[in-house]
Coordinates of all heavy atoms in Angstrom, one line a residue:
M1 N 57.7 36.1 106.7 CA 58.9 35.3 106.7 C 59.4 35.1 108.1 O 59.6 36.1 108.9 CB 59.9 35.9 105.8 CG 61.2 35.2 105.7 SD 62.3 35.9 104.5 CE 63.7 34.9 104.7
G2 N 59.7 33.9 108.5 CA 60.2 33.6 109.9 C 61.7 33.9 110.0 O 62.4 34.2 109.0
L3 N 62.1 33.6 111.2 CA 63.6 33.7 111.4 C 64.3 32.6 110.8 O 63.7 31.5 110.5 CB 63.8 33.7 112.9 CG 63.3 34.9 113.7 CD1 63.5 34.7 115.2 CD2 63.9 36.2 113.3
I4 N 65.6 32.8 110.5 CA 66.3 31.7 109.8 C 66.3 30.4 110.6 O 66.2 29.3 110.0 CB 67.8 32.2 109.6 CG1 68.5 31.2 108.6 CG2 68.6 32.3 110.9 CD1 69.8 31.8 108.1
Y5 N 66.2 30.4 111.9 CA 66.2 29.2 112.6 C 64.8 28.6 112.8 O 64.6 27.7 113.5 CB 67.0 29.2 113.9 CG 66.6 30.2 115.0 CD1 65.4 30.0 115.7 CD2 67.4 31.3 115.3 CE1 65.0 30.9 116.7 CE2 67.0 32.2 116.2 CZ 65.8 32.0 116.9 OH 65.5 32.9 117.9
D6 N 63.8 29.1 112.1 CA 62.5 28.4 112.0 C 62.6 27.2 111.2 O 61.7 26.3 111.3 CB 61.5 29.4 111.4 CG 61.0 30.4 112.4 OD1 61.3 30.2 113.7 OD2 60.4 31.4 112.0
N7 N 63.6 27.0 110.4 CA 63.9 25.8 109.7 C 64.7 24.8 110.6 O 65.7 25.2 111.1 CB 64.7 26.1 108.4 CG 65.1 24.8 107.7 OD1 66.0 24.1 108.1 ND2 64.5 24.6 106.5
P8 N 64.2 23.6 110.9 CA 64.9 22.7 111.8 C 66.4 22.5 111.5 O 67.2 22.5 112.5 CB 64.1 21.4 111.7 CG 62.7 21.8 111.2 CD 63.0 23.0 110.3
R9 N 66.7 22.3 110.3 CA 68.2 22.1 110.0 C 69.0 23.3 110.3 O 70.1 23.2 110.8 CB 68.3 21.7 108.5 CG 67.8 20.3 108.2 CD 67.9 19.9 106.8 NE 69.3 19.9 106.4 CZ 69.8 20.0 105.1 NH1 68.9 20.1 104.2 NH2 71.0 20.0 104.9
L10 N 68.5 24.5 110.0 CA 69.2 25.7 110.3 C 69.2 26.0 111.8 O 70.2 26.5 112.4 CB 68.6 26.9 109.6 CG 68.8 26.9 108.1 CD1 68.0 28.0 107.4 CD2 70.3 26.9 107.7
A11 N 68.1 25.6 112.5 CA 68.1 25.7 114.0 C 69.1 24.8 114.6 O 69.8 25.2 115.5 CB 66.7 25.4 114.5
A12 N 69.3 23.6 114.0 CA 70.3 22.7 114.5 C 71.7 23.3 114.4 O 72.5 23.2 115.3 CB 70.2 21.4 113.8
L13 N 71.9 23.9 113.3 CA 73.2 24.6 113.1 C 73.4 25.7 114.0 O 74.5 25.9 114.6 CB 73.4 25.0 111.6 CG 73.5 23.9 110.6 CD1 73.4 24.5 109.2 CD2 74.9 23.2 110.8
T14 N 72.4 26.5 114.3 CA 72.5 27.6 115.2 C 72.9 27.1 116.6 O 73.8 27.6 117.3 CB 71.2 28.4 115.3 OG1 70.9 28.9 114.0 CG2 71.2 29.5 116.3
L15 N 72.2 26.0 117.0 CA 72.5 25.4 118.3 C 73.9 24.8 118.4 O 74.5 24.9 119.4 CB 71.4 24.4 118.7 CG 70.0 24.9 118.9 CD1 69.0 23.8 119.0 CD2 70.0 25.9 120.1
T16 N 74.3 24.3 117.3 CA 75.7 23.7 117.2 C 76.7 24.8 117.3 O 77.7 24.6 118.0 CB 75.9 22.9 115.9 OG1 74.9 21.9 115.8 CG2 77.3 22.3 115.8
R17 N 76.4 25.9 116.7 CA 77.4 27.1 116.9 C 77.4 27.6 118.3 O 78.5 27.9 118.9 CB 77.0 28.2 116.0 CG 77.3 28.0 114.5 CD 77.0 29.3 113.7 NE 77.2 29.0 112.3 CZ 78.4 29.0 111.7 NH1 79.5 29.2 112.5 NH2 78.5 28.8 110.5
I18 N 76.3 27.6 119.0 CA 76.2 28.0 120.4 C 77.0 27.0 121.2 O 77.8 27.3 122.1 CB 74.8 28.2 120.9 CG1 74.1 29.3 120.2 CG2 74.8 28.3 122.4 CD1 72.6 29.4 120.4
A19 N 76.8 25.7 120.9 CA 77.5 24.6 121.7 C 79.0 24.8 121.4 O 79.8 24.6 122.4 CB 77.0 23.3 121.2
A20 N 79.4 25.1 120.2 CA 80.9 25.3 119.9 C 81.4 26.4 120.8 O 82.6 26.3 121.3 CB 81.1 25.5 118.4
E21 N 80.7 27.5 120.9 CA 81.1 28.6 121.7 C 81.2 28.2 123.1 O 82.2 28.6 123.8 CB 80.2 29.8 121.5 CG 80.2 30.4 120.1 CD 79.1 31.4 119.9 OE1 78.3 31.8 120.9 OE2 78.9 31.9 118.8
E22 N 80.3 27.4 123.6 CA 80.3 27.0 125.0 C 81.4 26.0 125.3 O 81.8 25.9 126.4 CB 78.9 26.3 125.3 CG 77.8 27.3 125.4 CD 76.5 26.6 125.7 OE1 76.4 25.4 125.6 OE2 75.5 27.3 126.0
S23 N 81.9 25.3 124.3 CA 83.0 24.4 124.5 C 84.2 25.1 125.0 O 85.1 24.4 125.5 CB 83.2 23.5 123.3 OG 83.9 24.3 122.3
E24 N 84.3 26.3 124.7 CA 85.5 27.1 125.2 C 85.3 27.6 126.6 O 86.2 28.1 127.2 CB 85.7 28.3 124.2 CG 85.9 27.9 122.8 CD 85.9 29.1 121.8 OE1 85.8 30.2 122.3 OE2 86.0 28.8 120.6
G25 N 84.1 27.4 127.2 CA 83.9 27.8 128.6 C 83.2 26.8 129.4 O 83.4 25.6 129.2
P26 N 82.3 27.2 130.2 CA 81.6 26.3 131.1 C 80.8 25.2 130.3 O 80.3 25.5 129.2 CB 80.6 27.1 131.9 CG 81.1 28.5 131.7 CD 81.9 28.6 130.4
N27 N 80.6 24.1 130.9 CA 79.9 23.0 130.2 C 78.4 23.0 130.7 O 77.9 22.0 131.1 CB 80.5 21.7 130.5 CG 80.0 20.6 129.6 OD1 79.4 20.8 128.6 ND2 80.2 19.3 130.1
E28 N 77.7 24.1 130.5 CA 76.4 24.3 130.9 C 75.6 24.9 129.8 O 76.1 25.6 128.9 CB 76.2 25.2 132.2 CG 76.9 24.7 133.4 CD 76.9 25.6 134.5 OE1 76.1 26.6 134.5 OE2 77.6 25.4 135.5
L29 N 74.3 24.6 129.8 CA 73.4 25.2 128.8 C 73.3 26.7 129.1 O 72.9 27.1 130.2 CB 72.0 24.6 128.9 CG 71.0 24.9 127.8 CD1 71.5 24.2 126.5 CD2 69.7 24.3 128.2
S30 N 73.8 27.5 128.2 CA 73.8 28.9 128.4 C 72.5 29.6 128.3 O 71.5 29.1 127.8 CB 74.8 29.6 127.4 OG 74.2 29.6 126.1
G31 N 72.4 30.8 128.8 CA 71.2 31.6 128.7 C 70.8 31.8 127.3 O 69.7 31.9 126.9
R32 N 71.8 31.9 126.4 CA 71.6 32.2 125.0 C 70.9 31.0 124.4 O 70.0 31.1 123.6 CB 72.9 32.5 124.3 CG 72.7 32.8 122.8 CD 74.0 33.3 122.2 NE 74.0 33.3 120.8 CZ 74.9 32.9 120.0 NH1 76.1 32.6 120.5 NH2 74.8 33.0 118.7
M33 N 71.4 29.8 124.7 CA 70.8 28.6 124.1 C 69.3 28.4 124.6 O 68.4 28.1 123.9 CB 71.6 27.3 124.4 CG 71.1 26.1 123.6 SD 72.1 24.6 123.7 CE 73.6 25.1 122.9
H34 N 69.1 28.7 125.9 CA 67.8 28.6 126.5 C 66.9 29.6 125.7 O 65.8 29.2 125.4 CB 67.8 29.0 127.9 CG 68.0 27.9 128.9 ND1 67.0 26.9 129.0 CD2 69.0 27.6 129.7 CE1 67.5 26.0 129.9 NE2 68.7 26.4 130.4
A35 N 67.4 30.8 125.5 CA 66.6 31.8 124.8 C 66.2 31.3 123.4 O 65.0 31.5 123.0 CB 67.3 33.1 124.7
V36 N 67.1 30.8 122.7 CA 66.8 30.3 121.3 C 65.8 29.2 121.4 O 64.8 29.2 120.6 CB 68.1 29.8 120.6 CG1 67.8 29.0 119.3 CG2 69.0 30.9 120.3
L37 N 66.0 28.2 122.3 CA 65.0 27.1 122.4 C 63.6 27.6 122.8 O 62.6 27.2 122.2 CB 65.5 26.1 123.4 CG 66.7 25.3 122.9 CD1 67.3 24.5 124.1 CD2 66.4 24.4 121.8
L38 N 63.5 28.5 123.8 CA 62.2 29.0 124.2 C 61.6 29.8 123.0 O 60.4 29.7 122.8 CB 62.4 29.9 125.4 CG 62.8 29.2 126.7 CD1 63.1 30.2 127.8 CD2 61.7 28.2 127.1
D39 N 62.4 30.5 122.3 CA 61.8 31.3 121.1 C 61.3 30.3 120.1 O 60.2 30.6 119.5 CB 62.9 32.2 120.6 CG 62.3 33.1 119.5 OD1 61.3 33.8 119.7 OD2 62.9 33.1 118.3
L40 N 62.0 29.3 119.8 CA 61.6 28.3 118.8 C 60.2 27.7 119.2 O 59.4 27.5 118.4 CB 62.6 27.2 118.7 CG 63.9 27.5 117.9 CD1 64.9 26.5 118.0 CD2 63.6 27.8 116.4
V41 N 60.1 27.3 120.5 CA 58.8 26.7 120.9 C 57.7 27.8 120.8 O 56.6 27.5 120.4 CB 59.0 26.2 122.3 CG1 57.6 25.8 122.9 CG2 59.9 25.0 122.4
Q42 N 58.0 29.0 121.2 CA 57.0 30.0 121.2 C 56.5 30.3 119.8 O 55.4 30.5 119.5 CB 57.5 31.3 121.9 CG 56.5 32.4 122.0 CD 57.0 33.6 122.7 OE1 58.2 33.8 122.8 NE2 56.1 34.4 123.2
R43 N 57.5 30.4 118.9 CA 57.2 30.7 117.5 C 56.5 29.6 116.7 O 55.7 29.8 115.8 CB 58.4 31.2 116.8 CG 59.0 32.5 117.3 CD 60.3 32.8 116.6 NE 60.3 32.8 115.2 CZ 59.9 33.8 114.4 NH1 59.4 34.9 115.0 NH2 59.9 33.7 113.1
N44 N 57.0 28.4 117.0 CA 56.6 27.2 116.2 C 55.8 26.1 116.9 O 55.4 25.2 116.2 CB 57.9 26.6 115.6 CG 58.7 27.6 114.8 OD1 58.2 28.0 113.7 ND2 59.8 28.0 115.3
G45 N 55.6 26.2 118.2 CA 54.9 25.2 118.9 C 55.7 24.1 119.4 O 56.8 23.9 118.9
P46 N 55.3 23.4 120.4 CA 56.1 22.3 121.1 C 56.4 21.2 120.1 O 57.5 20.6 120.2 CB 55.1 21.8 122.2 CG 54.1 22.8 122.4 CD 54.0 23.6 121.1
S47 N 55.6 20.9 119.1 CA 55.9 19.8 118.2 C 57.1 20.1 117.3 O 57.8 19.2 116.8 CB 54.7 19.5 117.3 OG 54.4 20.6 116.5
Y48 N 57.5 21.4 117.2 CA 58.7 21.8 116.5 C 59.9 21.2 117.1 O 60.9 20.8 116.4 CB 58.8 23.3 116.4 CG 60.0 23.8 115.7 CD1 60.0 23.9 114.3 CD2 61.2 24.1 116.3 CE1 61.1 24.3 113.6 CE2 62.3 24.6 115.6 CZ 62.2 24.7 114.3 OH 63.3 25.1 113.6
M49 N 59.9 21.0 118.4 CA 61.1 20.4 119.1 C 61.4 19.0 118.6 O 62.5 18.6 118.5 CB 60.9 20.4 120.6 CG 60.8 21.8 121.2 SD 62.0 23.0 120.6 CE 63.5 22.4 121.5
A50 N 60.4 18.2 118.2 CA 60.6 16.9 117.7 C 61.3 17.0 116.3 O 62.3 16.2 116.1 CB 59.3 16.2 117.5
E51 N 60.9 18.0 115.5 CA 61.6 18.2 114.2 C 63.1 18.6 114.4 O 64.0 18.1 113.7 CB 60.9 19.3 113.4 CG 59.5 18.9 112.9 CD 58.9 20.0 112.2 OE1 59.5 20.6 111.3 OE2 57.7 20.3 112.5
L52 N 63.3 19.4 115.4 CA 64.6 19.9 115.8 C 65.5 18.7 116.2 O 66.6 18.5 115.8 CB 64.6 21.0 116.8 CG 65.9 21.5 117.3 CD1 66.8 22.1 116.1 CD2 65.7 22.6 118.3
I53 N 64.9 17.9 117.1 CA 65.7 16.7 117.6 C 66.1 15.8 116.5 O 67.2 15.3 116.4 CB 64.9 16.0 118.7 CG1 64.8 16.9 119.9 CG2 65.4 14.6 119.0 CD1 63.8 16.5 121.0
V54 N 65.2 15.5 115.5 CA 65.5 14.7 114.4 C 66.6 15.3 113.6 O 67.5 14.6 113.2 CB 64.2 14.5 113.5 CG1 64.5 13.8 112.2 CG2 63.2 13.6 114.3
A55 N 66.5 16.6 113.3 CA 67.6 17.3 112.6 C 68.9 17.2 113.3 O 70.0 16.9 112.6 CB 67.2 18.8 112.3
L56 N 68.9 17.3 114.6 CA 70.2 17.2 115.3 C 70.7 15.8 115.3 O 71.9 15.6 115.1 CB 70.0 17.7 116.8 CG 69.8 19.2 117.0 CD1 69.3 19.4 118.4 CD2 71.1 19.9 116.8
A57 N 69.9 14.8 115.4 CA 70.3 13.4 115.4 C 70.9 13.1 114.0 O 71.9 12.4 113.9 CB 69.1 12.5 115.7
R58 N 70.2 13.5 113.0 CA 70.7 13.3 111.6 C 72.1 13.9 111.4 O 73.0 13.4 110.8 CB 69.7 13.8 110.6 CG 68.5 12.9 110.5 CD 67.5 13.4 109.4 NE 66.4 12.4 109.3 CZ 65.3 12.8 108.9 NH1 65.0 14.0 108.4 NH2 64.3 11.9 108.8
A59 N 72.2 15.2 111.9 CA 73.5 15.9 111.7 C 74.6 15.2 112.5 O 75.7 15.0 112.0 CB 73.4 17.3 112.2
Q60 N 74.3 14.7 113.7 CA 75.3 14.0 114.5 C 75.7 12.7 113.8 O 76.8 12.3 113.8 CB 74.7 13.7 115.9 CG 75.7 13.1 116.8 CD 75.3 12.9 118.2 OE1 74.1 13.1 118.5 NE2 76.2 12.6 119.1
F61 N 74.7 12.0 113.3 CA 75.0 10.8 112.5 C 75.9 11.0 111.4 O 76.9 10.3 111.1 CB 73.8 10.0 112.1 CG 74.1 8.9 111.1 CD1 74.6 7.7 111.6 CD2 74.0 9.1 109.7 CE1 75.0 6.7 110.7 CE2 74.3 8.1 108.9 CZ 74.8 6.9 109.4
L62 N 75.6 12.1 110.6 CA 76.5 12.4 109.4 C 77.9 12.7 109.8 O 78.9 12.3 109.2 CB 75.9 13.6 108.6 CG 74.6 13.2 107.9 CD1 74.0 14.5 107.3 CD2 74.8 12.2 106.8
A63 N 78.0 13.5 110.9 CA 79.4 13.8 111.4 C 80.1 12.5 111.9 O 81.3 12.3 111.6 CB 79.3 14.8 112.6
L64 N 79.4 11.7 112.6 CA 80.0 10.4 113.1 C 80.3 9.5 111.9 O 81.4 8.9 111.9 CB 79.0 9.7 114.0 CG 79.5 8.7 115.0 CD1 80.5 9.3 115.9 CD2 78.3 8.1 115.7
D65 N 79.5 9.4 110.9 CA 79.8 8.6 109.7 C 81.0 9.1 109.0 O 81.8 8.3 108.5 CB 78.5 8.6 108.8 CG 78.6 7.5 107.8 OD1 78.8 6.4 108.1 OD2 78.3 7.9 106.6
E66 N 81.1 10.4 108.9 CA 82.3 11.0 108.2 C 83.6 10.7 109.0 O 84.6 10.4 108.5 CB 82.1 12.5 108.0 CG 83.3 13.2 107.4 CD 83.6 12.8 106.0 OE1 82.7 12.2 105.3 OE2 84.7 13.1 105.5
L67 N 83.5 10.8 110.3 CA 84.6 10.5 111.2 C 85.0 9.0 111.1 O 86.2 8.7 111.0 CB 84.3 10.8 112.7 CG 85.4 10.5 113.7 CD1 86.6 11.4 113.4 CD2 84.8 10.8 115.1
A68 N 84.0 8.2 111.0 CA 84.3 6.8 110.8 C 85.0 6.5 109.5 O 86.0 5.8 109.4 CB 83.0 6.0 110.8
R69 N 84.6 7.2 108.4 CA 85.2 7.0 107.1 C 86.6 7.5 107.1 O 87.5 6.8 106.6 CB 84.4 7.8 106.1 CG 84.8 7.6 104.6 CD 84.1 8.5 103.6 NE 84.4 9.9 103.8 CZ 85.5 10.5 103.5 NH1 86.5 9.8 103.0 NH2 85.7 11.8 103.7
V70 N 86.9 8.6 107.8 CA 88.2 9.2 107.8 C 89.2 8.4 108.7 O 90.3 8.2 108.3 CB 88.2 10.7 108.3 CG1 89.5 11.2 108.6 CG2 87.4 11.5 107.2
T71 N 88.7 7.8 109.8 CA 89.5 7.1 110.7 C 89.6 5.6 110.4 O 90.5 4.9 111.0 CB 89.0 7.3 112.2 OG1 87.7 6.8 112.3 CG2 89.0 8.8 112.6
G72 N 88.8 5.1 109.5 CA 88.8 3.7 109.2 C 88.0 2.9 110.2 O 88.1 1.6 110.2
N73 N 87.3 3.5 111.2 CA 86.5 2.8 112.1 C 85.1 2.6 111.5 O 84.8 3.3 110.5 CB 86.4 3.5 113.4 CG 87.7 3.6 114.2 OD1 88.3 2.6 114.4 ND2 88.1 4.8 114.5
S74 N 84.3 1.8 112.1 CA 82.9 1.7 111.7 C 82.1 2.7 112.4 O 82.4 3.1 113.6 CB 82.3 0.3 111.8 OG 82.0 0.0 113.2
T75 N 81.0 3.1 111.8 CA 80.1 4.1 112.4 C 79.5 3.4 113.7 O 79.4 4.1 114.7 CB 79.0 4.5 111.5 OG1 79.6 5.0 110.3 CG2 78.1 5.5 112.1
A76 N 79.2 2.1 113.6 CA 78.6 1.4 114.8 C 79.6 1.4 116.0 O 79.2 1.6 117.1 CB 78.3 0.0 114.4
E77 N 80.9 1.2 115.7 CA 81.9 1.2 116.8 C 82.0 2.6 117.4 O 82.0 2.7 118.6 CB 83.3 0.9 116.2 CG 83.5 -0.5 115.8 CD 84.8 -0.8 115.1 OE1 85.3 0.1 114.4 OE2 85.3 -1.9 115.2
L78 N 82.0 3.7 116.6 CA 82.0 5.0 117.2 C 80.8 5.4 117.9 O 80.8 6.0 119.0 CB 82.3 6.0 116.1 CG 83.6 6.0 115.4 CD1 83.7 7.0 114.2 CD2 84.8 6.2 116.4
L79 N 79.6 4.9 117.4 CA 78.4 5.2 118.1 C 78.3 4.4 119.4 O 77.9 4.9 120.5 CB 77.2 4.7 117.2 CG 75.8 5.1 117.7 CD1 75.6 6.5 118.1 CD2 74.8 4.6 116.7
D80 N 78.8 3.2 119.4 CA 78.9 2.4 120.7 C 79.8 3.1 121.7 O 79.4 3.2 122.9 CB 79.4 1.0 120.4 CG 78.5 0.1 119.7 OD1 77.2 0.4 119.6 OD2 78.9 -1.0 119.2
A81 N 80.9 3.6 121.3 CA 81.9 4.2 122.2 C 81.3 5.5 122.7 O 81.4 5.8 123.9 CB 83.2 4.6 121.4
A82 N 80.6 6.3 121.9 CA 79.9 7.5 122.4 C 78.8 7.2 123.4 O 78.6 7.9 124.4 CB 79.3 8.3 121.2
E83 N 78.1 6.1 123.1 CA 77.0 5.7 124.0 C 77.6 5.3 125.4 O 77.1 5.6 126.5 CB 76.2 4.6 123.4 CG 75.0 4.2 124.2 CD 74.1 3.2 123.5 OE1 74.5 2.6 122.5 OE2 73.0 3.0 124.0
V84 N 78.7 4.5 125.4 CA 79.3 4.1 126.6 C 79.8 5.3 127.4 O 79.6 5.4 128.6 CB 80.5 3.1 126.3 CG1 81.3 2.9 127.6 CG2 79.9 1.7 125.8
E85 N 80.4 6.2 126.7 CA 80.9 7.4 127.4 C 79.7 8.2 128.0 O 79.8 8.7 129.1 CB 81.6 8.3 126.4 CG 82.3 9.5 127.0 CD 83.1 10.3 126.0 OE1 83.7 9.7 125.1 OE2 83.2 11.5 126.2
A86 N 78.6 8.3 127.3 CA 77.5 9.0 127.8 C 76.9 8.3 129.0 O 76.5 9.0 130.0 CB 76.4 9.2 126.7
L87 N 76.8 7.0 129.0 CA 76.3 6.2 130.1 C 77.2 6.3 131.3 O 76.7 6.5 132.4 CB 76.2 4.7 129.7 CG 75.0 4.4 128.7 CD1 75.1 3.0 128.2 CD2 73.7 4.7 129.4
E88 N 78.5 6.3 131.1 CA 79.5 6.5 132.2 C 79.4 7.9 132.8 O 79.5 8.1 134.0 CB 80.9 6.2 131.7 CG 81.1 4.8 131.4 CD 82.5 4.5 130.8 OE1 83.2 5.5 130.4 OE2 82.9 3.3 130.7
G89 N 79.0 8.9 131.9 CA 78.8 10.2 132.4 C 77.6 10.4 133.3 O 77.5 11.4 134.0
L90 N 76.7 9.5 133.2 CA 75.5 9.6 134.1 C 75.8 9.5 135.5 O 75.2 10.2 136.4 CB 74.5 8.5 133.7 CG 73.8 8.5 132.4 CD1 72.9 7.3 132.2 CD2 73.0 9.8 132.2
D91 N 76.9 8.8 135.9 CA 77.4 8.7 137.2 C 77.9 10.0 137.7 O 77.7 10.4 138.9 CB 78.5 7.6 137.4 CG 78.0 6.2 137.1 OD1 76.7 6.0 137.3 OD2 78.8 5.4 136.8
D92 N 78.5 10.8 136.8 CA 79.0 12.1 137.2 C 77.9 13.2 137.4 O 78.1 14.1 138.1 CB 80.0 12.6 136.1 CG 81.2 11.7 135.9 OD1 81.5 11.0 136.9 OD2 81.7 11.7 134.8
D93 N 76.7 13.0 136.8 CA 75.6 13.9 136.9 C 74.9 13.8 138.2 O 74.2 14.7 138.5 CB 74.7 13.7 135.7 CG 75.3 14.1 134.3 OD1 76.3 14.8 134.3 OD2 74.8 13.6 133.3
G94 N 75.0 12.6 138.8 CA 74.3 12.2 140.0 C 74.1 13.1 141.0 O 73.3 13.5 141.7

């Protein structure tokens, strides 16, 4: 039996919890998140990362869709706004 985060959906939740903890501090990928990601690749192979990315994207969409429903906005509008914000942030990463 593998670790709980050998399941991509549970791994996505684990990474989300780590991100939530990091939101209270520095905005950098922590050693803990690196360790989880490296362990996932070591245990499951590089192709597992594709499954994890799909699980994370689906979870993000579900959260965005729920936010749209609650706020009365469309999911497309919220996604567009998030994309613009991310693109604008590219200048800051430079």
Side-chain angles (χ1 to χ4, degrees):
M1 179 173 178
L3 296 175
I4 191 167
Y5 60 70
D6 283 344
N7 174 290
R9 289 179 62 202
L10 293 173
L13 288 171
T14 298
L15 294 171
T16 301
R17 286 189 184 278
I18 293 170
E21 292 169 7
E22 289 177 347
S23 72
E24 298 172 5
N27 192 19
E28 299 177 13
L29 192 65
S30 73
R32 183 170 165 222
M33 191 173 295
H34 270 293
V36 169
L37 290 170
L38 291 173
D39 185 55
L40 285 169
V41 170
Q42 184 177 21
R43 293 173 55 79
N44 302 292
S47 63
Y48 180 82
M49 296 312 288
E51 293 177 50
L52 178 59
I53 291 167
V54 169
L56 287 167
R58 286 179 177 158
Q60 185 174 11
F61 170 76
L62 291 174
L64 200 59
D65 194 50
E66 178 66 15
L67 179 62
R69 188 185 64 74
V70 170
T71 62
N73 294 305
S74 76
T75 304
E77 289 172 330
L78 293 177
L79 186 56
D80 288 346
E83 187 174 10
V84 167
E85 185 176 327
L87 288 169
E88 289 173 347
L90 292 177
D91 293 337
D92 298 335
D93 295 338

